[in-house]
Amino acid sequence: MAWQSADFYATTGSGLTCTLCPLSCRLRDGERGACKVRRRRGDIVETLTRATTVAHWDQIERKPFYHYRPGSKVLTLAPPGCTFRCSYCVNHRLSQYGRKGGAELSAQPVDVAGVVRNAAEEGAAIGLSYSEPSLAAELTLELARQARPFGVPVVWKSNGFLTEVAARRLAPALSAVNIDVKAAEEEPHRRLTGVSLAPVLETVRCLHDAGIWLEVSTPLIPGTSTEEGQLAWIAEFLASVDRDIPWHLLRFTPTFRMTDSRPTAPEELSAAREIGRAAGLRHVYVERALGSEGRTTRCPRCTRTVVTRKVWGLNEVNIEDGACGHCGTGVAGVWR
């Protein structure tokens, strides 16, 4: 992987400060930030995230997005690195690059024009996922610039740990974002990820206010987001932003540094779904553990089924011009 010029930094006295994430690393010459994929060289900052470790096709439902371009494809890229240090990360060899538990990776420079062309030919979106896409801010802006004339959207699966300045600058480049809200309180969030929860919640509000289609995922992690009070707080926060935000409840699987913990029981996921509904959220999903019913979208008025899904794909859509095919009530989303 080659270091390339970056943006999102400011001169502060005799130093350079990264302005991309709230850690605001002040960098000495040759020093990497906490993310390990941004560094200072002389009077500039450089990044490793104009390259990707993978480039392959997914269904949009796998990100997961359930209310955005259902049944469509995504050409997924994964630049290395993450601002979080989650103890359960299934992609830790990629996300923890440069840290203990990461791996030496082979990443190829992204041929932006080629990626855009391939996505346009397939009627697909371009997605950044598996690692933390906000660290690839420069790549995101360039992808969006070249993709816009072809009508190709750019989407993220992100932890949402951004400065407000960066979030507002990146928002016009993004069409849809799925953000992980992993905890309801600062202390367990710091224990799990190493960083503060507050900027994540601020990013949820910021991107929603910017008009980006937003979905949220919460993994049910022991000690962090499994208790009824924790789940109720997250659900109530999302409902305060917008009751139409789809909430994805994810089963925790023991891995990385949490191999001694138990996986989430289906009964816990079912109870969590009811907590979300009780908070006023109209669309609460469980990907696999509750079968096809956990992935079904129902009309918020007549409650009849309007979308059915496979585990990672689409079965059937009964939505016409953004409205329920049975009673005509609007169903929030981007359905075309």
Side-chain angles (χ1 to χ4, degrees):
M1 293 185 288
W3 292 95
Q4 297 185 55
S5 62
D7 201 343
F8 296 90
Y9 64 92
T11 301
T12 52
S14 59
L16 296 182
T17 299
C18 182
T19 59
L20 188 55
C21 94
L23 293 177
S24 301
C25 295
R26 185 167 181 174
L27 303 173
R28 296 186 293 268
D29 195 13
E31 184 179 23
R32 297 190 191 195
C35 64
K36 303 303 180 185
V37 294
R38 297 172 73 82
R39 75 174 184 187
R40 176 179 173 179
R41 184 174 66 84
D43 293 330
I44 65 169
V45 170
E46 297 179 319
T47 179
L48 288 174
T49 60
R50 291 182 185 266
T52 185
T53 57
V54 302
H56 65 79
W57 297 98
D58 283 326
Q59 292 295 117
I60 194 76
E61 286 78 12
R62 191 167 186 175
K63 293 298 103 184
F65 287 107
Y66 277 10
H67 287 234
Y68 183 76
R69 303 178 83 234
S72 63
K73 293 181 179 179
V74 182
L75 179 51
T76 300
L77 308 177
C82 188
T83 42
F84 284 9
R85 304 186 183 198
C86 297
S87 299
Y88 74 101
C89 184
V90 296
N91 296 316
H92 59 271
R93 292 177 179 83
L94 169 59
S95 67
Q96 300 304 300
Y97 171 79
R99 302 174 182 150
K100 185 178 180 180
E104 290 301 319
L105 301 171
S106 176
Q108 300 301 316
V110 176
D111 173 7
V112 173
V115 167
V116 170
R117 182 175 61 252
N118 290 341
E121 289 172 353
E122 295 291 330
I126 300 168
L128 279 72
S129 183
Y130 304 130
S131 51
E132 177 44 48
S134 62
L135 288 173
E138 297 84 3
L139 176 61
T140 296
L141 291 172
E142 183 59 22
L143 285 166
R145 186 186 70 80
Q146 294 198 35
R148 195 170 292 112
F150 297 92
V152 173
V154 177
V155 304
W156 274 5
K157 177 68 173 74
S158 173
N159 63 26
F161 193 66
L162 284 162
T163 63
E164 183 179 356
V165 169
R168 291 188 182 283
R169 182 174 170 192
L170 286 158
L174 299 167
S175 295
V177 178
N178 186 307
I179 292 179
D180 283 338
V181 177
K182 301 173 187 280
E185 299 171 333
E186 282 289 330
E187 191 278 329
H189 192 270
R190 284 186 180 276
R191 187 173 65 246
L192 179 73
T193 68
V195 300
S196 173
L197 170 65
V200 178
L201 305 180
E202 291 166 7
T203 298
V204 169
R205 289 192 182 278
C206 178
L207 296 187
H208 176 270
D209 291 348
I212 295 167
W213 179 253
L214 188 67
E215 306 198 14
V216 169
S217 296
T218 296
L220 271 65
I221 302 166
T224 304
S225 55
T226 53
E227 295 179 7
E228 181 177 340
Q230 295 168 331
L231 290 163
W233 190 94
I234 296 171
E236 289 163 8
F237 164 73
L238 296 179
S240 75
V241 178
D242 190 337
R243 293 173 63 198
D244 283 318
I245 293 175
W247 192 28
H248 300 265
L249 298 165
L250 308 180
R251 189 182 194 198
F252 165 78
T253 302
T255 188
F256 196 25
R257 294 190 291 264
M258 296 186 70
T259 54
D260 292 335
S261 300
R262 64 174 180 83
T264 313
E267 295 79 14
E268 293 174 299
L269 288 158
S270 181
R273 181 174 61 173
E274 294 310 309
I275 289 169
R277 290 172 173 173
L281 293 174
R282 296 189 174 99
H283 306 288
V284 186
Y285 299 107
V286 176
E287 183 179 80
R288 283 175 283 183
L290 302 184
S292 60
E293 173 59 25
R295 302 184 293 271
T296 296
T297 299
R298 297 184 179 278
C299 171
R301 181 180 181 186
C302 74
T303 73
R304 296 176 71 179
T305 297
V306 290
V307 185
T308 58
R309 299 175 180 87
K310 306 172 187 176
V311 174
W312 287 320
L314 183 69
N315 274 331
E316 187 175 0
V317 178
N318 188 7
I319 293 177
E320 301 172 4
D321 296 324
C324 170
H326 304 291
C327 73
T329 298
V331 182
V334 179
W335 301 108
R336 63 184 181 276

